[in-house]
Amino acid sequence: MSDNQHIVCPHCNAVNRIPAERLDDGPACGKCHRTLFERHPIELTAANFDRHIGRSDIPVLVDFWAPWCGPCKMMAPQFEQAAAELEPSIRLAKVDTEAQQALGARFGIRSIPTLALFHNGREIARQPGAMGAADIVRWVRSQAQVAGNR
Ligand SMILES: [Zn+2]
């Protein structure tokens, strides 16, 4: 069984195949040569959402938020911190539901912030409400294990 992981580049959206044991070594994109993980959430839009959700072998945690939402802004630095801790085994991403209303509607996002965890193109868990970094990390790890991630 191959231990290569498909990783979608946050800069050019190219799908890279990275040996699992090299994920921790700061791998770069084969196409645009920029680093695939920057310990920082990436921005997803209608243009790149399906590619990242559908083609990533690692789970993708999406923060559905909006600029006018106070709790979302409070959670943003916590989410950043969680990205630094969870990458590269989990990709963290943000969807601005104000700018990307179609994505919010498609997933029936009724309250923000809402965290949704995707793996192999499917949503596997969802958690509404703001959370601290430690709680985000704990929640994601427990859900990813349930989904049989490695
Ligand atoms: Zn790239």
Side-chain angles (χ1 to χ4, degrees), residues 49-50 53 64 102-110 116 118 123 126:
F49 186 90
D50 285 316
I53 298 300
F64 289 92
L103 283 177
R106 177 172 149 198
F107 292 99
I109 302 300
R110 283 184 186 81
F118 295 85
E123 181 179 339
R126 178 180 291 207

Side-chain angles (χ1 to χ4, degrees), residues 39-139:
R39 304 168 75 81
H40 182 77
I42 65 170
E43 193 76 32
L44 291 183
T45 66
N48 64 359
F49 186 90
D50 285 316
R51 191 161 177 92
H52 277 268
I53 298 300
R55 303 292 302 277
S56 298
D57 283 341
I58 56 170
V60 182
L61 175 67
V62 180
D63 172 17
F64 289 92
W65 71 289
W68 47 262
C69 155
C72 298
K73 284 186 188 156
M74 280 168 52
M75 192 171 87
Q78 303 294 318
F79 198 67
E80 288 269 353
Q81 209 176 310
E85 205 159 322
L86 288 166
E87 288 186 0
S89 50
I90 314 273
R91 165 75 78 200
L92 273 69
K94 294 173 76 93
V95 169
D96 176 350
T97 56
E98 180 81 357
Q100 305 294 328
Q101 293 188 8
L103 283 177
R106 177 172 149 198
F107 292 99
I109 302 300
R110 283 184 186 81
S111 68
I112 49 172
T114 286
L115 295 182
L117 185 64
F118 295 85
H119 196 198
N120 298 323
R122 290 186 309 116
E123 181 179 339
I124 58 174
R126 178 180 291 207
Q127 179 72 46
M131 280 195 279
D135 287 332
I136 295 171
V137 168
R138 207 170 9 242
W139 179 74

Side-chain angles (χ1 to χ4, degrees), residues 2 7 11 14-15 17 22 27-28 33 36 38 43 46 64 66 69 74-75 79 89 93 99 103 115 132 141 145:
S2 161
I7 304 294
H11 310 290
V15 179
R17 288 185 68 188
R22 280 205 47 228
H33 308 297
L36 290 170
E38 301 186 311
E43 193 76 32
F64 289 92
C69 155
M74 280 168 52
M75 192 171 87
F79 198 67
S89 50
L103 283 177
L115 295 182
R141 288 201 171 130
Q145 265 163 19

